[in-house]
Amino acid sequence: HLDTPSPANAAKIMLKKEGWSLVMRNSADKANWKTFYTRPNHAQFGKALSSRGWKSVNRETDAEILWYQKKKEIKWDSIKPWQRVNHFRDETRVAHKGKMLEHLRTTRSEAL
């Protein structure tokens, strides 16, 4: 059983990853934008980011970081290259041990 980090710790971990706090939208005049969107509104995650200078926004399209409790709510086709999400598309292919084993076996048989 793996321990799941609290939302506040997850935010700290995410921000420590190289490049996360440096992801900007496009132009130099927007270089200070540090925005996030949560669904549902997650107080701990928001508090962790706000204490580091990030601003909560009400629209997904305005946020650099998108935090969703349920990945089925993510509009994958709307994610911009400069946005980061706390889930991965098709993550069950590697996150689910049975699917990962199936994938590894397929990959191995194709390599032989």
Side-chain angles (χ1 to χ4, degrees), residues 3-65:
D3 291 327
T4 303
S6 70
N9 285 337
K12 291 176 190 174
I13 292 166
M14 187 168 59
L15 291 174
K16 286 183 181 179
K17 289 185 177 181
E18 184 176 339
W20 276 78
S21 61
L22 301 175
V23 175
M24 296 301 154
R25 295 173 208 222
N26 46 31
S27 63
D29 62 332
K30 297 178 182 177
N32 292 322
W33 288 7
K34 292 168 53 173
T35 56
F36 68 93
Y37 171 86
T38 62
R39 181 175 178 136
N41 186 7
H42 206 290
Q44 289 180 328
F45 182 77
K47 185 177 178 180
L49 288 175
S50 295
S51 70
R52 289 164 177 78
W54 289 76
K55 180 184 173 195
S56 176
V57 293
N58 295 323
R59 296 184 331 175
E60 299 158 88
T61 55
D62 295 334
E64 292 174 70
I65 294 179

Side-chain angles (χ1 to χ4, degrees), residues 60-106:
E60 299 158 88
T61 55
D62 295 334
E64 292 174 70
I65 294 179
L66 305 170
W67 182 273
Y68 292 90
Q69 185 171 352
K70 298 178 181 179
K71 67 181 177 187
K72 67 181 180 182
E73 296 178 351
I74 301 170
K75 299 170 191 156
W76 290 107
D77 294 335
S78 300
I79 305 298
K80 305 294 183 223
W82 48 265
Q83 292 179 308
R84 298 297 179 253
V85 185
N86 65 313
H87 292 280
F88 298 98
R89 182 180 269 183
D90 298 326
E91 66 189 7
T92 54
R93 291 183 184 201
V94 292
H96 185 275
K97 60 187 172 190
K99 299 241 185 226
M100 183 176 182
L101 179 60
E102 178 184 326
H103 178 69
L104 291 172
R105 284 182 177 157
T106 302

